[in-house]
Amino acid sequence: MSEILNLGVNIDHVATIRNARGESHPAPLRAAHLVAKAGADGITAHLREDRRHMTDADIASLTTEIDLPLNLEMAATDEMLKIALKHLPHAACIVPEKRQERTTEGGLDVVGGQNYLMPIIRSLTDSGIRVSLFVEADMLQIDAAKNLGASVVEIHTGAYCNASGILREQELSRIKKAAVHAAGLNIEVHAGHGLGFDTVGAIAEIPQFSELNIGHFLIGEAIFEGLDSSIKRMRSLMDNARATLGGER
Ligand code: PXP
């Protein structure tokens, strides 16, 4: 069991709201300070090729002006590699990116993409950046991530969050098996995408996870109850789920 369960808060959608007016308010940097004060363990930001939310300037300020570790989500492209090597975030999470999608729709095809992924993972790792690959709960993808030297896999929880009833149970069971498999390979296991107050508990109870990355729900919920309160509530749901595990090691 992982002794810790960190909460990384993805603040992309603060930038989405800012960009709706093309001005400077609300500033992601200000949100990042609040996220830190609320007790989160890290900031996550996705610099997309089309810059639809985060900008290069946001990444620069988040790496230099915030004490929390930055997890930079990025596509495996030369442009993004250059930016990561310039700013040296604590971690980089490589995600698949399609320009037309609303959000990251699925996991990375690590098996099919080994040739282009390998040099990027190597460059990031050699620069001291912890590399995570965002994958479906699929053993072959996890095996390929391990073979490529990634130190983390982040398991996509979107299908679990979007399903209901028996289908949600099936997705949860797939995620549990994948987490056990990854931990057995000695690779750090994270999870994220689509998580909210109703779905986080069952994921936090999976003892292999050491980090959850949550964004859209928290930023949306902040409209109703404030960012500080929504993060604290999420944190306490995660802590309560972990507490129920007791001595299960
Ligand atoms: N993890 C990864 C790899 C992601 O791409 C995203 C979305 O940017 C998240 C976590 C957070 O997902 P959500 O915003 O749905 O909480």
Side-chain angles (χ1 to χ4, degrees), residues 10 12 73 93 95 103-104 134 154 192-195 213-216:
N10 180 316
D12 290 348
E73 290 180 4
C93 179
V95 299
T103 182
T104 313
F134 187 46
E154 179 168 325
H193 212 282
L195 293 168
N213 284 300
I214 309 178
H216 183 265

Side-chain angles (χ1 to χ4, degrees), residues 95-167:
V95 299
E97 206 175 289
K98 291 186 224 123
R99 194 168 273 213
Q100 302 307 326
E101 69 190 355
R102 283 194 187 177
T103 182
T104 313
E105 280 169 357
L108 201 60
D109 179 10
V110 188
V111 175
Q114 309 206 20
N115 289 344
Y116 77 89
L117 287 169
M118 187 183 293
I120 290 181
I121 293 170
R122 195 165 290 157
S123 298
L124 292 167
T125 306
D126 287 350
S127 303
I129 300 170
R130 184 194 74 186
V131 178
S132 165
L133 303 185
F134 187 46
V135 295
E136 294 295 325
D138 178 319
M139 313 299 176
L140 292 177
Q141 298 293 347
I142 293 168
D143 290 344
K146 170 74 183 176
N147 288 338
L148 287 181
S151 42
V152 181
V153 282
E154 179 168 325
I155 296 181
H156 198 311
T157 49
Y160 152 76
C161 292
N162 289 334
S164 55
I166 183 76
L167 290 178

Side-chain angles (χ1 to χ4, degrees), residues 77-91:
T77 62
D78 290 342
E79 183 203 12
M80 288 301 149
L81 176 63
K82 241 180 166 170
I83 291 169
L85 297 181
K86 178 174 165 200
H87 296 296
L88 296 176
H90 165 74

